[in-house]
């Protein structure tokens, strides 16, 4: 007959297998926490010090990550009701200081990053659009085949800006449907506004750039 602690050990192994098979982070962390608790109980009862020590160290780490995911999930759920606070981006990527008048990217540059404006103001020069704290910009480039930005972004006064690489942005986009919806709505709104108010800013930049690519590159 299998002893109760043996069942706990088997359960720990099962939760570990489940964690490794998860495709998304939230159920992975939940399974990880369950595995940690089972391994701690098993290691303490059996006197297996390495197992006990390892999972006592992993448990607070998994709980911390789980809390982060739950907080992010709550915030993106709020976005489904029409509002998405973006201040959590500063917790993911440390913002950098930019001086008054400093160019963040120029028209014609390669679109390689998304930007979050923590403080200050940024002017999209060719379109005459001024952005305030809490806004993201440079997002349209991630949804096109364009190789050049169509607008120049310049700081109006001192700014603090977080730079998000393509991998980090796409990870956020696919893990958080509410954030993805917010970005798509933002792209559509800015394209419609830009084309309506300043169509000349979205014309082809070079012989190899199509009109469609130019429209979708800042």
């Amino acid at each position: 007959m299998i002893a109760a602690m043996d069942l706990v050990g088997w359960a720990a192994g099962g939760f570990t297998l489940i964690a490794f098979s998860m495709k998304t982070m939230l159920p992975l962390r939940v399974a990880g926490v369950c595995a940690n608790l089972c391994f701690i109980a098993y290691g303490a009862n059996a006197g297996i010090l390495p197992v006990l020590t390892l999972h006592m160290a992993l448990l607070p780490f998994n709980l911390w990550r789980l809390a982060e995911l739950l907080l992010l999930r709550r915030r993106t759920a709020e976005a489904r009701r029409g509002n998405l606070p973006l201040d959590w981006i500063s917790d993911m990527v440390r913002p950098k200081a930019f001086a008054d008048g400093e160019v963040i990217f120029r028209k014609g540059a390669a679109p390689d990053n998304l930007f979050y404006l923590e403080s200050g103001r940024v002017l999209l020069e060719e379109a005459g659009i001024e952005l305030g704290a809490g806004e993201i910009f440079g997002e349209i480039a991630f949804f096109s085949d364009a190789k050049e930005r169509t607008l120049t972004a310049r700081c109006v006064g001192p700014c603090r800006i977080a730079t998000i690489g393509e991998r980090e942005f796409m990870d956020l986009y696919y893990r958080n449907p509410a954030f993805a919806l917010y970005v798509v709505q933002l792209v559509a709104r800015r394209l419609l506004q830009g084309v309506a108010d300043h169509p000349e800013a979205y014309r082809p930049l070079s012989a190899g750039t199509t009109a469609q690519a130019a429209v979708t590159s800042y």
Side-chain angles (χ1 to χ4, degrees), residues 11-145:
F15 280 122
T16 302
L17 180 61
I18 291 171
F20 277 103
S21 66
M22 291 292 105
K23 293 183 178 181
T24 53
M25 291 303 298
L26 184 59
L28 185 154
R29 293 298 178 188
V30 171
V33 168
C34 292
N36 293 152
L37 292 172
C38 290
F39 272 121
I40 289 171
Y42 182 76
N45 182 266
I48 307 175
L49 188 59
V51 170
L52 178 62
T53 303
L54 173 63
H55 289 277
M56 287 186 68
L58 287 175
L59 179 60
F61 178 79
N62 275 324
L63 287 172
W64 174 41
R65 291 301 189 190
L66 179 59
E68 286 185 331
L69 289 170
L70 291 174
L71 179 60
L72 185 58
R73 189 174 185 178
R74 179 176 64 81
R75 287 176 171 174
T76 53
E78 292 173 357
R80 295 179 185 274
R81 298 190 289 270
N83 180 47
L84 179 64
L86 297 171
D87 54 339
W88 47 268
I89 292 179
S90 295
D91 297 330
M92 296 177 51
V93 182
R94 185 180 298 275
K96 298 179 181 180
F98 287 76
D100 180 20
E102 186 171 351
V103 173
I104 303 157
F105 55 78
R106 292 187 181 277
K107 183 174 182 177
D112 53 357
N113 292 307
L114 175 80
F115 301 90
Y116 169 68
L117 180 58
E118 183 185 71
S119 64
R121 303 195 70 81
V122 167
L123 176 66
L124 302 176
E125 292 185 341
E126 292 79 7
I129 299 173
E130 192 168 299
L131 307 176
E135 296 193 67
I136 61 174
F137 59 101
E139 75 288 343
I140 297 176
F142 291 95
F143 301 94
S144 74
D145 295 326

Side-chain angles (χ1 to χ4, degrees), residues 105-112 138 140-142 144-152 201-218:
F105 55 78
R106 292 187 181 277
K107 183 174 182 177
D112 53 357
I140 297 176
F142 291 95
S144 74
D145 295 326
K147 302 301 181 183
E148 299 174 323
R149 294 194 187 271
T150 59
L151 302 176
T152 298
Y202 298 91
R203 290 172 183 165
L205 301 179
S206 62
T209 305
T210 65
Q212 180 180 3
V215 168
T216 58
S217 63
Y218 100 78

Side-chain angles (χ1 to χ4, degrees), residues 7-8 11 33 39 67 77 138 170:
L7 290 175
V8 172
V33 168
F39 272 121
M170 297 311 294

